[in-house]
Amino acid sequence: MCELLGMDCNVPTDIVFSFTGLRQRGGNTGPHADGWGLAFYEGRAARVFLDPGAAWHSPLARFLGENPIKTVLAIGHVRRRTRGPISLANTHPFIRELWGRHWVFAHNGTLRNVRRRKLGRFHPIGTTDSEYAFCYLLETLRTTFPTYPRSPRDLWEAVAKVGGVLGRDGSFNFLLGDGRHLFARCATRLSYIVRKAPFGIAHLSDDDVEIDFAKVTTPNDRVAVVATAPLTRNEAWNQGRPGEMWVFQSGALRATLQSGT
Amino acid sequence: MCELLGMDCNVPTDIVFSFTGLRQRGGNTGPHADGWGLAFYEGRAARVFLDPGAAWHSPLARFLGENPIKTVLAIGHVRRRTRGPISLANTHPFIRELWGRHWVFAHNGTLRNVRRRKLGRFHPIGTTDSEYAFCYLLETLRTTFPTYPRSPRDLWEAVAKVGGVLGRDGSFNFLLGDGRHLFARCATRLSYIVRKAPFGIAHLSDDDVEIDFAKVTTPNDRVAVVATAPLTRNEAWNQGRPGEMWVFQSGALRATLQSGT
C-alpha cells in the first residue's frame, strides 16, 4: 500500500510541513520506501519530482524541504509496492496532458481486475495497476467531454462516476489534480482538514516538529490538506467514508459526491 | 533563442560536466536566463526537472550538479524567450506519452507559422511555438504508425520528414528522445561529439573546469553529446548542416538523414 498527500489552497503555499510528515512514513515511521513523488501546479502546468528510492533517505526530498516551492495545488505519494517492481516508471504521481492541461494522479490500494478494461489513447509506461487505472480514467473523461467541461459540476460528477466504476476492481483511494481542483476519493482510508483563520499550532504525528500557522499565514488564507492518515496529532481531521469523493478548490471543500460504494 | 544539450550513451553516465557548461550560458556566459530543464530517461520513462528561473542562479541546478543522476539518455535546455512569457508551462523540455513511452522534446529557434497547422490529440499547455510543434510532431507519428514501429528506420525517416515539414515554418533545431534514440535536427546551429576510448582530457569552453574522461570511464564506454555550440574548447566537434538530422543510439551515430532544407 501507499500513502497519499494532497494540498489545495487559495494562495500559493509551501507543503514542507506536511511533506515532512509524509517523508517519515517513507522508510522511517512507515514502510513506504519504494519510491516517492511530489507534483506542484503552476496554472495548468505541473512539475513532478520523482525518486524511485525511499523518501526518508532521499537527497531530493531533503532539497525540496530546504527549498520550498509555493503552489496552490500539490499531490504527493510515498510507495510501498504491491504490484509492479520498483522503478521510475512505477513511481507516483503519474502525469498526462488532456485538453491542454496537466492531470496528476496518485493511488493507494490495489485494483486486481483493472487490466480487463479497454484503454484508448492513454497507455501506461510502467506496470502498475495504478497507472493503468489513471489511463482508463482519463480516457473516460476524454470520450465524455470534447473539451474541458464548462460546467464544473459535470466534471466532478464524471470523475466520481469513473472512480466508482474503477472502485469495483479493488481498493481505489486516489488523488487527482487538474490545476483547478483536487479530487480525493476514499475507498478505505482518507482524511482531510481545512486550515483557516484563526490559525493555531500544529504538531506532526510522525516527527517532533510543530508549526504556528498564525505566523506564516494571513487571515484570508485557506489550505485544505488530504492524507491517507492524519498528519498532525492535535487537529481534528475529517475521516472519509468508503465511496465518498471530495472536490476541493481554492482551499475549500466544494462538494462531497458519491463515487460507488 | 535557446541552447540545447543532449546526451546518449551505451552505459549510464552522468551529465554533470556538460550541464556545468550549459548552466553558464543560463545567465552567466550566455543570456539564456528564462528557464531551464533537464530530462533523464530510465527505460521508457523519463523524469524532467524544470525551473522557470535562470540556470546559473538555480538551487535545483546546483543540486543536480552535486547529486548526479546516471542515465543513458538525457535532454537539457536553457531558454531565452522569444515567444511566450516566462512560466513553468513554457519551460523546455516538454514531455508526452505516446505508445506507452515518454517522448521528450526541446527546441531552439522560432516557428512563426506553426499555429496554422491542425493539431489532433496532443495539445499545448503553454503558449510557445515549440510545444505546439512538438504536439504536431507527435500527432504525425501517431497517425503514421498504430504502435511503436518495429522497423527503427521507418521511425527515423518519419521523424526526419515531419522535422522537415515543420522546418518550413521557421527555424527548427530540436532534440527529441523516445527512450531508445536521441534525434537531433540542425536548422541553423548544432554540434555533436562522440567520446570513446582512448579517452582524454576535456576543457569546458564556458568555465574553468576540466575532466579526464579516462579516469571516469571504462574502455567500452561510448557517449554522444549534442549541443547548440561546442561545450569544450579542445575537442573536435562535428558541425551540423541545415536540414540534417542525426539519430543516436547507445552512444553511436546510427544515421544522418535529410530533414528538409
Side-chain angles (χ1 to χ4, degrees):
Chain A
M1 305 297 277
C2 309
E3 297 239 358
L4 302 171
L5 170 65
M7 183 184 76
D8 179 79
C9 330
N10 65 343
V11 292
T13 305
D14 82 58
I15 198 172
V16 168
F17 177 72
S18 297
F19 183 57
T20 301
L22 190 76
R23 265 190 77 190
Q24 301 283 336
R25 298 177 188 176
N28 190 26
T29 60
H32 313 284
D34 300 330
W36 64 274
L38 197 49
F40 301 86
Y41 272 94
E42 182 186 300
R44 293 182 302 183
R47 50 176 162 170
V48 187
F49 294 88
L50 297 173
D51 193 339
W56 174 238
H57 304 290
S58 165
L60 182 61
R62 194 180 326 118
F63 172 84
L64 292 174
E66 292 166 356
N67 296 270
I69 295 171
K70 291 198 173 191
T71 181
V72 294
L73 180 48
I75 291 177
H77 185 269
V78 293
R79 180 169 184 234
R80 185 183 184 189
R81 77 187 187 83
T82 49
R83 306 262 150 159
I86 300 170
S87 69
L88 180 63
N90 288 345
T91 304
H92 308 222
F94 303 104
I95 185 168
R96 290 289 190 283
E97 174 265 314
L98 172 62
W99 303 320
R101 60 175 59 234
H102 274 139
W103 295 70
V104 170
F105 174 84
H107 170 218
N108 163 22
T110 302
L111 296 172
R112 278 175 204 82
N113 303 317
V114 74
R115 277 191 181 74
R116 58 180 185 173
R117 298 192 183 278
K118 199 168 172 298
L119 296 179
R121 57 163 266 197
F122 300 96
H123 293 273
I125 296 169
T127 54
T128 62
D129 52 341
S130 308
E131 190 189 13
Y132 198 102
F134 179 39
C135 292
Y136 181 84
L137 187 158
L138 287 184
E139 179 68 9
T140 303
L141 295 182
R142 187 186 76 85
T143 52
T144 306
F145 308 105
T147 58
Y148 194 84
R150 289 196 183 185
S151 154
R153 188 161 282 273
D154 288 353
L155 176 62
W156 306 349
E157 286 173 359
V159 174
K161 188 175 167 194
V162 65
V165 168
L166 286 162
R168 294 201 290 268
D169 293 345
S171 172
F172 198 41
N173 304 283
F174 73 74
L175 299 180
L176 174 73
D178 69 355
R180 282 191 194 167
H181 307 97
L182 174 63
F183 302 94
R185 182 183 191 269
C186 176
T188 53
R189 206 157 68 113
L190 203 62
S191 298
Y192 81 88
I193 189 170
V194 173
R195 298 193 180 108
K196 56 189 178 184
F199 290 99
I201 293 173
H203 304 265
L204 280 186
S205 305
D206 296 75
D207 200 354
D208 190 18
V209 174
E210 66 173 37
I211 188 169
D212 184 353
F213 285 115
K215 290 187 179 162
V216 293
T217 51
T218 70
N220 294 326
D221 291 8
R222 214 169 45 210
V223 178
V225 177
V226 188
T228 297
L231 289 164
T232 56
R233 50 188 159 90
N234 68 320
E235 296 178 300
W237 291 66
N238 303 281
Q239 310 282 335
R241 274 187 286 268
E244 197 168 71
M245 192 189 82
W246 303 314
V247 182
F248 298 93
Q249 189 175 23
S250 302
L253 179 66
R254 292 289 306 276
T256 299
L257 285 83
Q258 275 310 306
S259 170
T261 51
Chain B
M1 306 295 277
C2 308
E3 297 238 358
L4 303 171
L5 170 64
M7 182 183 77
D8 179 79
C9 329
N10 66 342
V11 292
T13 305
D14 82 59
I15 198 171
V16 169
F17 176 72
S18 297
F19 183 58
T20 300
L22 189 77
R23 266 189 76 190
Q24 302 284 335
R25 298 177 188 176
N28 190 27
T29 60
H32 313 283
D34 300 331
W36 65 274
L38 196 49
F40 301 86
Y41 272 95
E42 181 185 303
R44 293 182 301 183
R47 48 176 163 173
V48 188
F49 294 88
L50 297 172
D51 193 341
W56 174 238
H57 305 290
S58 166
L60 182 60
R62 194 180 326 119
F63 172 84
L64 292 174
E66 292 166 356
N67 296 271
I69 295 172
K70 292 199 172 189
T71 180
V72 294
L73 179 49
I75 290 177
H77 185 271
V78 293
R79 179 168 185 234
R80 185 183 185 188
R81 75 187 189 84
T82 49
R83 307 262 150 158
I86 301 171
S87 69
L88 180 63
N90 288 343
T91 304
H92 307 222
F94 302 104
I95 186 168
R96 290 289 189 284
E97 173 265 314
L98 173 62
W99 302 320
R101 58 174 61 233
H102 274 139
W103 294 71
V104 170
F105 175 83
H107 170 218
N108 163 23
T110 302
L111 296 172
R112 277 175 204 81
N113 303 317
V114 73
R115 276 190 183 73
R116 57 182 183 168
R117 297 191 184 277
K118 198 166 173 297
L119 296 179
R121 58 163 264 195
F122 299 97
H123 293 273
I125 295 169
T127 55
T128 63
D129 53 341
S130 309
E131 191 189 12
Y132 198 101
F134 178 41
C135 292
Y136 181 85
L137 187 158
L138 287 184
E139 180 67 9
T140 303
L141 295 182
R142 188 187 75 85
T143 53
T144 306
F145 306 106
T147 58
Y148 194 85
R150 289 196 182 184
S151 154
R153 188 161 281 275
D154 288 352
L155 176 63
W156 305 349
E157 286 173 358
V159 174
K161 188 176 168 194
V162 65
V165 168
L166 286 162
R168 295 201 290 268
D169 293 344
S171 172
F172 198 42
N173 304 284
F174 72 75
L175 298 180
L176 174 72
D178 68 356
R180 281 191 193 167
H181 307 97
L182 174 63
F183 303 94
R185 182 183 190 268
C186 176
T188 53
R189 207 158 69 113
L190 204 61
S191 298
Y192 81 87
I193 190 170
V194 173
R195 298 193 181 108
K196 55 189 178 183
F199 290 98
I201 293 174
H203 304 265
L204 280 187
S205 305
D206 297 76
D207 200 354
D208 190 18
V209 173
E210 66 173 37
I211 188 168
D212 184 354
F213 285 115
K215 290 186 179 162
V216 293
T217 51
T218 69
N220 294 326
D221 290 8
R222 214 169 45 209
V223 178
V225 177
V226 188
T228 296
L231 289 165
T232 56
R233 52 187 158 89
N234 68 320
E235 297 177 299
W237 290 67
N238 304 280
Q239 310 281 335
R241 275 186 285 267
E244 197 169 72
M245 192 189 82
W246 303 315
V247 182
F248 298 93
Q249 190 176 21
S250 302
L253 179 66
R254 292 290 305 277
T256 300
L257 285 83
Q258 274 310 306
S259 169
T261 51

